[in-house]
């Protein structure tokens, strides 16, 4: 295996672990503060680190946007993603919220058809449908597991909404990529998240306790570090090599649930997670095969 792939894999593993710590911190804050206020904190806490990184290289022009309308739309989608995800982790275990949220890549595959006219073959459609059935297994409306209460069911629906908003946001990044720098895309997503979520959280604002600035600091540091590791991972290795490693977030979620909340996943959640992960990995496998065929025919 090329050395760059090894470094890319290690960077991706570090990114997933770092983001898991950030999500844990947001879940902790969500025990005290409304989900929209936590969304505001997430957006604001990482901004200073991004600005410091930009200042260190002196590339302020990289932050200048070219397509304001699309940045505003992505800001809205980012707020929706974080708000619904924070709401989900406040009602569900981290592992369960992660499991449902990991349907995002499958939704990206499905939505790429109407948005970009991409051709998704029968194999990938079957995988997408199977993954969505896996989500139903986890959410199980009317069942006797995760959705035993209305609160937990709402958490499951929020996780699905977060995955949908995330998928739309990723597709929008593809539209922005030809004209916007990575720094501008990240900066305006964080800035607009803080701005929009800050406005919406004014009415229900809960004063921040001094004891919780520790968690806010962790969110800021891990958010910035996670983005750095993620960027490095995609710079060093091809997406098909590192994309499957995103599913290691499930292991971190289960570990944190057990260590901090003494919660273990039930059988239905594990079955649903297996279906979703297997479907996602199969979609990645098919995309890798198609890319190889396209390379050989050109």
């Amino acid at each position: 295996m090329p050395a760059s792939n090894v470094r890319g894999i290690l960077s991706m593993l570090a990114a997933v672990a770092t983001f898991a710590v950030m999500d844990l911190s947001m879940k902790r804050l969500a025990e005290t503060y409304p989900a929209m206020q936590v969304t505001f904190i997430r957006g604001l806490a990482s901004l200073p680190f991004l600005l410091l990184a930009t200042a260190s290289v002196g590339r302020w022009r990289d932050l200048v946007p070219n397509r304001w309308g699309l940045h505003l739309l992505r800001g809205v989608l980012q707020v929706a993603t974080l708000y619904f995800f924070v709401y989900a982790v406040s009602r569900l275990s981290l592992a369960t919220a992660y499991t449902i949220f990991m349907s995002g890549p499958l939704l990206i595959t499905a939505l790429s058809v109407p948005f970009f006219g991409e051709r998704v073959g029968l194999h990938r459609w079957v995988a997408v449908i199977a993954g969505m059935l896996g989500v139903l297994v986890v959410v199980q409306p009317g069942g006797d597991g995760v959705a035993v209460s209305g609160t937990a069911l709402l958490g499951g629906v929020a996780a699905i909404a977060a995955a949908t908003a995330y998928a739309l946001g990723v597709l929008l990044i593809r539209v922005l990529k030809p004209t916007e720098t990575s720094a501008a895309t990240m900066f305006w997503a964080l800035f607009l998240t803080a701005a929009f979520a800050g406005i919406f959280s004014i009415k229900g604002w809960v004063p921040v306790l001094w004891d919780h600035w520790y968690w806010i600091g962790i969110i800021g540091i891990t958010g910035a570090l996670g983005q750095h590791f993620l960027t490095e991972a995609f710079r060093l290795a091809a997406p098909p090599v590192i994309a499957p490693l995103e599913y290691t977030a499930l292991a971190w979620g289960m570990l944190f649930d057990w260590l901090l909340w003494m919660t273990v996943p039930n059988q239905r959640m594990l079955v649903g997670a297996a279906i979703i992960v297997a479907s996602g990995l199969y979609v990645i496998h098919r995309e890798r095969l198609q890319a190889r065929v396209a390379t050989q025919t050109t």
Side-chain angles (χ1 to χ4, degrees), residues 28-148:
R28 278 297 198 188
L29 290 180
E31 296 171 355
T32 305
Y33 308 100
M36 190 59 76
Q37 185 172 339
V38 177
T39 300
F40 163 72
I41 291 170
R42 162 65 183 104
L44 188 66
S46 292
L47 270 177
F49 297 97
L50 178 58
L51 291 174
L52 282 173
T54 303
S56 67
V57 295
R59 297 182 62 89
W60 293 106
R61 287 186 61 84
D62 287 351
L63 301 183
V64 178
N66 294 305
R67 305 170 75 177
W68 273 106
L70 292 181
H71 281 289
L72 287 170
L73 177 57
R74 182 156 185 264
V76 172
L77 290 172
Q78 186 83 348
V79 169
T81 300
L82 286 170
Y83 169 76
F84 286 121
F85 182 77
V86 171
Y87 184 89
V89 297
S90 72
R91 300 297 188 270
L92 305 171
S93 68
L94 269 178
T96 301
Y98 276 158
T99 297
I100 300 171
F101 187 74
M102 283 178 181
S103 63
L106 298 172
L107 291 171
I108 292 171
T109 299
L111 292 172
S112 66
V113 176
F115 277 84
F116 296 106
E118 292 187 1
R119 184 178 178 277
V120 176
L122 177 62
H123 291 83
R124 282 190 287 174
W125 274 122
V126 171
V128 168
I129 293 170
M132 293 302 102
L133 291 176
V135 171
L136 289 178
V137 170
V138 177
V139 177
Q140 49 181 321
D144 58 356
V146 159
V148 117

Side-chain angles (χ1 to χ4, degrees), residues 197-277:
I199 292 171
F200 286 120
S201 62
I202 290 175
K203 185 176 181 180
W205 184 266
V206 175
V208 178
L209 302 175
W210 281 108
D211 292 348
H212 291 165
W213 283 102
Y214 170 78
W215 293 111
I216 293 173
I218 291 177
I219 289 173
I221 294 170
T222 53
L225 279 177
Q227 191 60 54
H228 167 73
F229 286 131
L230 189 66
T231 302
E232 280 296 290
F234 281 100
R235 183 180 68 83
L236 293 165
V241 174
I242 56 177
L245 299 174
E246 291 188 47
Y247 292 107
T248 59
L250 267 178
W252 287 108
M254 292 179 189
L255 177 63
F256 290 150
D257 284 338
W258 178 67
L259 289 176
L260 299 176
W261 292 280
M262 298 303 293
T263 301
V264 294
N266 59 35
Q267 187 175 6
R268 288 184 67 109
M269 181 271 191
L270 290 174
V271 171
I275 295 172
I276 294 169
V277 171

